[in-house]
Amino acid sequence: MLKLLDATTIRDLTSVSDLAAVIGEAFVPARDGSNGFVRSAVQTPGGQLLFMPAAHGATLSVKLVSLFDGAPAQGLPSVQGLAVVFDAHSGQPLALMDATTLTELRTAAVTTLATDLLARRDARTLAVIGAGVQGRSHLEGLAGIRPWDSVRLHSRDMDKARRLAEWARSAGIEIELHDSVASATEDADVICTVTSATAPLFPDAFRPRPGAHISAVGAYGPTRRELPSRLVADASLFVESTDAVLREAGDILIPIAEGLLPPRPPMTELSAVLSKEHPGRASAEELTLFESVGIPTEDALVCDLLYQRAVQTHAGQEIPF
């Protein structure tokens, strides 16, 4: 029998904060050189299909995700997909999962972990830019890592921002709506960008307050970015995978092309911070930047966790296979 886990079942089995507590395990293989899983893509005129194989625990998994900017105009998410889980010993197919929800929760969990590791302990002002699916999941995760005095939200679609603020308040997160990026991020201790922007959200001269932390999540691909080059060049860079960032992250690749960063700029992987090999934030005044791209081992960890919990709790639908 094959387990089928839809979005509702996945949300019943886990949450952003739950995953943030364990997602660090996904970076452990990177320390012994065994994390060689590479994301590949098939391009079409309208978008692309990503293929992400990896292993964790007793399972192998493959996540297939489509990225189509025009999908929302058809009433569909811009990110859609499936994950297939196999037994690591026999190769038997075990489960099909909604990869859209899996990706949403996993992405926010990694950002939550990175922000908790890198933001100042006395950070009290959080600004989230973007009110889509990732805006909600990131608010859910980030709300619990500091005793925030102010949580600010801005989106180019303020109707979506108002709806998200209503949800957040129902979840006990008090939100301040701002009508501009500049207003939302002024003197913010932590800035999290979760947009579909293709060009910088900030002017070239933008500088956050001393000691700020930025998590850049939304832009995917070597030609897209959320941050201006000079801001990136001035920050201490933290990543999931250096190699993945140098293949995929426009926030880093564009400043390299402009000569503001060297071809292989200094970047610290989260695994080094988690293992205490690197201290993370070096000073109270340092500007830290986490550039999120996502790596297959994160998805594999979540797939394994969801499958094991589904078996233990008899969750999900079973279909003959």
Side-chain angles (χ1 to χ4, degrees):
M1 302 294 282
L2 194 68
K3 282 277 189 186
L4 181 62
L5 305 185
D6 62 10
T8 299
T9 304
I10 289 172
R11 292 185 189 281
D12 287 342
L13 290 171
T14 192
S15 65
V16 175
S17 57
D18 175 49
L19 291 178
V22 299
I23 200 71
E25 297 174 22
F27 305 111
V28 173
R31 307 311 301 158
D32 63 16
S34 63
N35 185 6
F37 307 107
V38 176
R39 174 163 47 200
S40 57
V42 177
Q43 301 286 340
T44 76
Q48 56 185 312
L49 177 68
L50 304 181
F51 173 83
M52 290 155 278
H56 186 87
T59 60
L60 306 169
S61 62
V62 179
K63 190 176 82 169
L64 300 167
V65 173
S66 63
L67 303 177
F68 280 69
D69 289 340
Q74 304 173 53
L76 298 169
S78 58
V79 179
Q80 303 173 77
L82 291 170
V84 188
V85 182
F86 300 83
D87 186 285
H89 303 291
S90 68
Q92 178 186 8
L94 299 173
L96 283 174
M97 302 181 184
D98 169 32
T100 307
T101 303
L102 185 156
T103 301
E104 173 198 341
L105 300 179
R106 180 271 290 164
T107 302
V110 174
T111 304
T112 298
L113 171 64
T115 305
D116 193 26
L117 289 171
L118 298 171
R120 287 171 48 147
R121 305 314 299 177
D122 62 353
R124 293 296 180 268
T125 303
L126 167 66
V128 175
I129 310 301
V133 167
Q134 287 294 347
R136 171 174 168 163
S137 58
H138 278 74
L139 278 173
E140 179 187 343
L142 294 172
I145 64 170
R146 297 289 187 277
W148 305 109
D149 294 329
S150 173
V151 179
R152 305 169 182 173
L153 175 65
H154 169 74
S155 171
R156 63 182 179 181
D157 185 338
M158 289 305 292
D159 287 337
K160 288 176 67 174
R162 280 186 280 272
R163 290 193 294 271
L164 179 54
E166 289 175 6
W167 168 85
R169 289 167 185 144
S170 72
I173 307 168
E174 193 57 39
I175 295 291
E176 301 172 15
L177 287 176
H178 286 253
D179 60 7
S180 70
V181 172
S183 171
T185 58
E186 183 178 6
D187 290 330
D189 298 306
V190 173
I191 299 169
C192 181
T193 57
V194 284
T195 74
S196 57
T198 59
L201 300 168
F202 306 91
D204 290 342
F206 172 75
R207 291 296 177 274
R209 70 179 303 170
H213 170 75
I214 300 172
S215 287
V217 181
Y220 173 75
T223 62
R224 298 178 175 225
R225 57 175 171 166
E226 295 180 301
L227 306 178
S229 295
R230 180 57 66 183
L231 175 63
V232 175
D234 288 346
S236 298
L237 305 179
F238 294 83
V239 299
E240 295 141 298
S241 162
T242 299
D243 290 341
V245 162
L246 292 176
R247 285 192 305 269
E248 302 171 359
D251 277 325
I252 307 300
L253 293 171
I254 293 171
I256 290 174
E258 293 173 344
L260 291 175
L261 287 175
R264 195 173 180 89
M267 291 184 275
T268 302
E269 295 186 346
L270 289 184
S271 56
V273 181
L274 289 165
S275 67
K276 309 298 184 183
E277 181 181 327
H278 189 282
R281 170 174 291 276
S283 74
E285 302 299 304
E286 183 181 22
L287 171 62
T288 55
L289 167 60
F290 170 59
E291 178 65 25
S292 170
V293 293
I295 55 176
T297 50
E298 299 165 359
D299 297 313
L301 180 148
V302 178
C303 284
D304 185 69
L305 178 148
L306 289 171
Y307 175 71
Q308 302 301 338
R309 288 185 180 176
V311 170
Q312 293 164 8
T313 62
H314 306 287
Q317 181 181 352
E318 291 193 340
I319 56 177
F321 184 81

